[in-house]
Structures are given as structure tokens and as C-alpha cells.
Amino acid sequence: MTGSTTLTNPTTPSQPAAAAGRPGDSASPAVSFSAVSKVFPARSGPGVTALQDVDLQVRRGEIFAVVGRSGAGKSTLVRLINGLERPTSGRVSVAGTDISTLTERQLRPIRRRIGMVFQQFNLMRSRTVVGNIAFPLRVAGVDKAARERRVAELLDFVGLREKAWQYPDQLSGGQKQRIGIARALATEPTLLLADESTSALDPETTSEVLALLRRVNRELGITIVVITHEMDVVRSTADRVAVLEAGRVAEVGQVQQVFARPTHHTSRRFVQADVRQQPDADRWGQLRRQHPAKQFGQLVSPDAGLLSRVLVAGAELGVPVEVVHGGVSTFKDGDFSSFTLGIEGPEPAVAQWFSRAHELAAQADGMLTRVSGPASGGDATAGASTGTDNTRTDNTGTGSTDHTDGKAEERR
Amino acid sequence: MSWDELWPVFGTSVVQTLLMVAATLLAGGVLGLLLGVALTVTRPGGLLASRAVHTVLNVAVNIVRPIPFIILITAVGPLTLGLTGTTIGTVAAIVPLVLAATFGISRIVEQNLVTVEPGVIEAARSMGASPTRIIATVLLPEALGPLILGYTFVFVAVVDMTAVAGAVGVGGIGQFAISYGYQRFNWQVTWVAVAAIIVLVQIAQFAGNRLARTALRR
């Protein structure tokens, strides 16, 4: 897509460096939520609770993802960061500045330091590409010469210089979003909010836009908050992730960790929807027909080397273990592997292998799940990317899953 | 009356109509735009949402708009008298015309402004733009094409109103048709008046379409 033009950051005139805080207060996190709740009043009744008791910290320089199903409160959460919404209670701080108490007028200079990218791009159809990118600079009071210079730089950065004088209607979705990103970067923000920025795009364009966001983060050092319902967006871009469920934070952690060991059932569903290396219902049926005598285990880990150690353990115990399904997913920094293993042999040895393999998995920050009994129905894992309710071995009563990793939770 | 006598009267009538239409579109256009913007931005969820202000404006528009124009002219007689010193003639007619146009235009402006994507407004807010800046540089430009078509529609409606006002002696093509055509059983005069109005409307619609096409780039 883009060339390798680097975007220099010349100091833009008439920018109050204070407000959202350039360096100086580097101790405070980029964004901090403490006990934030948001209730939308209803005509009658108690109102709709969009967020409840949210505590989050976005660190400087990271790509932080917020994932959740529609209605989980993601959009509200991101709008609290630039004050488009106000918290009902709690405190939202941006670079150490408590923004929940500011007036609309006081918020304006802070918003100029926070870029925002939208699902529907939200470009002005009445303005050319140049006009759109220059708009936030006009708002910030940047003079004409500096504006033109900055717009040219940004067009180079997103690789769309040849589209300068076109109108948004003449651009493809991916091009529109790259212009949306250029516009969001115009006033040199320290923080970029991306609200479902790839949800309206096809897979190929999605990866282009995500690559651009990673570049923004890496080359310009801009902290990014990515809101998405797609786990593959989280996997390929984010450093850390918060899983939102019904307005509450279900889980926060390093992306790989959450993929390897999701602790909340919502996170598990999201992970399963994305990690396609796990067999779906059809595949399970096929596996059981092909290997009637085998028992199965599901091995997930950020460490692909775990597989060979687990296979070796089988050989040592005299029970042959083979990979019947699986693969490796790529993350922003590293991999995540998921393999379905088939094992055949006398029960004591098999049980011994499961317990040994569980230990090995735990050491490698991974997880081994023993799958027993026939699985049937209800699985949408294979094609699902929307976080539909998809579990592999439950919900008909005919299957059961033993957790051999010592985690006591029910897999639902 | 012969056409030798009628043509000069017809000429004056056309000028009077053009004068009334121009003045109405100018004053009513600006006032209607302001009122329409106010109606739009005070809507629930709007840029300057205010239930109270919106309700007041909404009710006011709904009170004035349904009054048939021929009745409105006489009903606002005292106001007309106060502003222009008379209730008869072309200049006096401009008062009720502007009044009716303002309220009519406000609805057309509102209709077109609410079609502007809320996301675009939100984007402008997220950049730290003030409400007045958003109205002037986002809301109105984004709706410019439909607004031009709306104003073209209003032009035709105003020509119609001036003709109706002809019934109460304000001059213009409408009165020409009524006084010299209808009341004297002179069909030709009526047809000439009709032709003049058709030409006027055609020109206006053509110009409006062109302008709108330029604004919409299609």
C-alpha cells in the first residue's frame, strides 16, 4: 500500500502544548478510567446502563484494544475518552488531566490532541481529500502555508498523494479510511481513538488499514485505543486487550496471554471465534469417525515449541500422540498455536500423559483441555467472526470437557 | 382594452412580481435559514439540543404555516401597516410574503439539514470545533445541494403566493391576470399571465438544478 515515507513532526504553530499533555507529565497513563459508570436516561424507568464500574489504564505508546459484542459499551467507552460522552460517575483522565469535570469549551483544546477514526469514515462529502485533512488544522488555527505543508506530509504518509483533489465519493472504502487516519493525525495527537475502524472494510483492506495503524504507533509513537468486535483485529494489532461484557470489564491483559488462557467465558468465546485452528462441529464428527479409538486434547499456547515437548512426553510414556488438527496464528509480536491432539493407548498411560502434558502447558503459559465424549451440534466457530455463542463440546448434554489445567471454571 | 394599452401594464406587473419574489427570497431566505438551523440543532441529540427551545420554535412554525396565505395577508394587516405605513401595494405585500416564506423555508432547511450524517458532525466535534463553526463549515456545506433544490422549490411557491396576493391588490402578474383577464372575461390576458409565470418558473428551476448539480457534483 504505502511507500516508506516517514512523517516528521514539525511543531505546529499555535498549538497549546498544555491541555492533553505532551511530555512533561509522562508519569501518568495515556488514559485512565476509575470507577466509571455511564447511564443513558430513558423516557421512563431507570435508564440504560452502558458502562458499570470500569477501571482501565491505557499505557503510553501501546496499542490497547477494547473488544466486545455490539451493545457491550465499547463505543460509549471510547467516546468518554474525548468527552463526546460524559461519565455518570467516576473519573476519566487523559494524560493526567481529569476531563470529566471540564466544560464543552474547555474540552475543545484537549480534543485537538486526540485523533479519532470512525467505522463509517465520517469524511465531509462536500470537501476534497485535501479539504478534509486540512479541516482539523483550520479548527486549530494553523495558517495556510503550514496547513498545506502538513496536508502534503500526511498524504505521503498514507500513500494517497494522487487522490489529493478527489472527493470522498470517488474513493474506495480503504482509501477513505486512510484519509480518515490522515485527518485524525493532522494536529499531531498523542492519542488516537479507532472506533471499529475496519468493520466496514473487506479483509484485504482491513489488513492494510491495520498495518497503517501499527505504523502510526511504531513510527510516530502515538498511543492507540482500538475498539473492535473482531478478535483478529485484536490479535494482529494490539499489545493489550480489555474484554467488555454488558458494560463491565470482564478481563484485561496482554493479548497473547488472553488468547492462551482466557479467564472469562466471554473472552473464551471471542478467542474461539478467531482461532480457527480449532475444529468445528463437522470437523469433530469427521475426527471421531477417522479415529474411533482415540481420545483428544486441545493444546493452546503462545509457545509453538510446546508441541514437540508434549509429543516427546507421549513417546516416553509409550502412548503415540499425533496432531490431528491445528495451526499457528500470528500476533503483533509473536505467535499463538492451537493443536488438537489424538492419543491412543491404555488408560493409565493416557491419564499420565494428560497430567504430564498439562504441566508442560502450564510452564509454557499455555493450556491443555481434555476433550472426551462425542461432540455434537451448536458450533459456529469455523466461520464466525462476530463472537456468536459458539462452544465446542457442550450444550447438548452428550459431550463433556475435562479441564486438566487445574482451572476450575465451567466451560460454557 | 387593447393590447397596446395592456402591454405596458403587463411589463409593470412582471417587474412587481420580480421585486416581490426577490425581496421575499432574500429576507425570508435568510430568516428561514436561521430558523431552520435553530430547529435542527436544538432537536434531541442535536448540536445544541434543547427540548424547551425546540418545542417553542416547533409550535410557532406549526401555528403560522397552516394559515392560508390569502388570510395571512389580511391577518397581519396591522403589522404591515406599522412597518410600511400601508396595507396596499407591492411593498406592503412583502411583509406577509416574508413571514410566510420564513416559516415555510425553515421546514425545508430543517428537512435537509437532518439528512447530514450525524457521524460527520461527531467527527467535527472530536476535532474540537465549536458549534457555530460546525454549523457554518460542516452542516450547511454538507447539505448545500439539497438546500439549493429546496430554495428553488420555494421560489416557485413564492411566485404562487404573489399571484394569490394579486386578489387583494398588491400588483404583479397575479393581479394583472385577475383584473384584466378574469374580471373582464379576457381569456387571452389570463393566458399571457400564465405563460409569463411558466417562463419565470422554468428559468428558476433550470438555474436551481444547475447550481445544485454543481454543489452535488453529479
Side-chain angles (χ1 to χ4, degrees):
Chain A
M1 48 174 282
T2 57
S4 57
T5 331
T6 43
L7 190 61
T8 53
N9 267 348
T11 43
T12 315
S14 75
Q15 277 300 314
R22 282 253 130 173
D25 54 349
S26 54
S28 44
V31 180
S32 160
F33 281 71
S34 39
V36 172
S37 295
K38 173 71 182 178
V39 180
F40 289 103
R43 277 268 169 97
S44 58
V48 181
T49 305
L51 290 174
Q52 212 170 349
D53 270 331
V54 171
D55 284 290
L56 275 182
Q57 303 227 313
V58 177
R59 297 171 191 157
R60 279 164 193 260
E62 75 174 344
I63 300 185
F64 186 86
V66 178
V67 71
R69 280 177 286 185
S70 38
K74 309 184 295 278
S75 287
T76 306
L77 188 142
V78 75
R79 278 165 180 70
L80 286 166
I81 299 174
N82 59 4
L84 290 176
E85 299 283 358
R86 301 308 187 85
T88 309
S89 62
R91 237 176 62 114
V92 179
S93 302
V94 175
T97 310
D98 180 3
I99 64 155
S100 19
T101 56
L102 300 182
T103 64
E104 188 75 12
R105 191 180 293 270
Q106 289 171 320
L107 272 171
R108 278 179 221 151
I110 290 178
R111 286 183 183 149
R112 286 171 204 164
R113 316 296 305 157
I114 304 175
M116 192 165 183
V117 180
F118 304 86
Q119 175 173 9
Q120 294 304 331
F121 325 122
N122 294 347
L123 299 175
M124 285 176 271
R125 300 173 68 186
S126 59
R127 289 175 197 263
T128 59
V129 162
V130 168
N132 269 283
I133 300 177
F135 186 79
L137 296 167
R138 282 172 183 275
V139 171
V142 178
D143 69 58
K144 191 163 186 285
R147 230 164 40 215
E148 283 171 358
R149 217 167 36 239
R150 182 72 182 151
V151 170
E153 264 173 23
L154 288 157
L155 280 172
D156 282 342
F157 184 74
V158 300
L160 286 173
R161 174 159 257 192
E162 74 282 3
K163 302 288 182 191
W165 301 106
Q166 305 225 320
Y167 286 89
D169 288 347
Q170 298 167 289
L171 304 179
S172 71
Q175 289 169 340
K176 283 185 202 169
Q177 196 57 296
R178 277 148 68 190
I179 298 304
I181 291 171
R183 179 178 69 172
L185 295 176
T187 52
E188 294 167 45
T190 49
L191 175 64
L192 185 68
L193 309 176
D195 184 15
E196 296 279 10
S197 58
T198 57
S199 301
L201 303 176
D202 61 56
E204 197 180 327
T205 322
T206 293
S207 54
E208 272 180 26
V209 167
L210 294 180
L212 180 57
L213 287 179
R214 284 195 298 268
R215 240 179 94 211
V216 166
N217 173 254
R218 198 177 55 238
E219 290 177 18
L220 309 178
I222 294 173
T223 309
I224 305 183
V225 178
V226 172
I227 301 292
T228 184
H229 66 274
E230 294 167 320
M231 213 53 186
D232 57 336
V233 170
V234 176
R235 182 165 51 72
S236 59
T237 45
D239 298 298
R240 291 195 308 140
V241 60
V243 180
L244 220 55
E245 163 77 22
R248 289 174 180 277
V249 176
E251 183 165 359
V252 192
Q254 293 290 330
V255 171
Q256 273 165 280
Q257 216 164 7
V258 171
F259 266 82
R261 296 169 153 268
T263 58
H264 189 274
H265 62 83
T266 305
S267 330
R268 265 201 294 275
R269 247 175 292 156
F270 271 108
V271 169
Q272 282 172 355
D274 180 58
V275 180
R276 316 270 161 84
Q277 293 88 354
Q278 297 189 0
D280 61 12
D282 286 348
R283 180 71 182 131
W284 271 116
Q286 207 181 8
L287 285 175
R288 293 189 196 286
R289 280 193 301 280
Q290 283 170 354
H291 311 282
K294 276 196 168 67
Q295 298 189 51
F296 297 97
Q298 190 71 50
L299 183 72
V300 291
S301 169
D303 174 8
L306 172 64
L307 177 66
S308 60
R309 296 199 287 278
V310 167
L311 296 180
V312 167
E316 283 167 2
L317 290 164
V319 283
V321 180
E322 70 175 293
V323 175
V324 294
H325 194 99
V328 178
S329 318
T330 317
F331 283 81
K332 185 176 173 240
D333 330 280
D335 298 331
F336 172 76
S337 64
S338 169
F339 297 102
T340 305
L341 307 175
I343 178 168
E344 199 174 340
E347 184 46 39
V350 169
Q352 238 180 324
W353 175 81
F354 267 112
S355 110
R356 176 81 191 110
H358 161 242
E359 277 167 36
L360 289 166
Q363 284 162 18
D365 227 3
M367 185 163 84
L368 179 74
T369 311
R370 184 170 183 172
V371 186
S372 55
S376 54
D379 191 10
T381 306
S385 59
T386 51
T388 39
D389 193 346
N390 44 45
T391 43
R392 192 173 68 250
T393 52
D394 67 347
N395 76 24
T396 56
T398 54
S400 68
T401 306
D402 295 332
H403 280 272
T404 54
D405 65 345
K407 286 183 182 292
E409 290 154 33
E410 263 315 300
R411 173 163 234 147
R412 59 136 295 167
Chain B
M1 283 177 90
S2 74
W3 276 102
D4 284 346
E5 291 166 283
L6 283 170
W7 281 125
V9 181
F10 174 71
T12 312
S13 301
V14 171
V15 171
Q16 285 171 334
T17 292
L18 289 176
L19 183 74
M20 285 189 282
V21 170
T24 305
L25 274 182
L26 215 67
V30 172
L31 293 173
L33 187 71
L34 294 175
L35 186 53
V37 167
L39 277 168
T40 311
V41 298
T42 55
R43 282 170 156 260
L47 204 50
L48 295 167
S50 162
R51 189 176 290 272
V53 176
H54 185 74
T55 306
V56 168
L57 294 178
N58 203 29
V59 167
V61 173
N62 284 346
I63 287 172
V64 177
R65 279 231 310 149
I67 303 174
F69 185 60
I70 191 95
I71 296 170
L72 185 76
I73 297 171
T74 49
V76 298
L79 178 68
T80 311
L81 193 63
L83 285 173
T84 65
T86 173
T87 56
I88 303 162
T90 305
V91 175
I94 290 173
V95 174
L97 279 169
V98 168
L99 199 66
T102 298
F103 285 84
I105 289 171
S106 70
R107 279 292 182 221
I108 286 171
V109 169
E110 183 193 18
Q111 273 168 23
N112 288 311
L113 294 186
V114 294
T115 62
V116 173
E117 290 273 349
V120 178
I121 311 274
E122 188 180 49
R125 279 185 70 205
S126 79
M127 293 168 204
S130 67
T132 41
R133 184 188 281 270
I134 293 175
I135 290 167
T137 62
V138 181
L139 194 60
L140 292 175
E142 285 292 290
L144 190 61
L147 278 176
I148 290 171
L149 289 176
Y151 273 90
T152 308
F153 174 85
V154 169
F155 180 95
V156 177
V158 170
V159 170
D160 179 40
M161 286 197 294
T162 61
V164 169
V168 292
V170 300
I173 300 172
Q175 189 179 355
F176 177 74
I178 291 167
S179 304
Y180 299 92
Y182 176 70
Q183 287 167 358
R184 298 182 190 199
F185 303 101
N186 189 339
W187 294 105
Q188 285 168 352
V189 166
T190 311
W191 291 335
V192 167
V194 167
I197 286 177
I198 290 174
V199 168
L200 198 60
V201 167
Q202 288 293 339
I203 293 170
Q205 190 67 51
F206 181 75
N209 286 349
R210 277 204 85 121
L211 277 173
R213 215 169 25 240
T214 313
L216 289 168
R217 300 181 309 280
R218 64 168 104 100

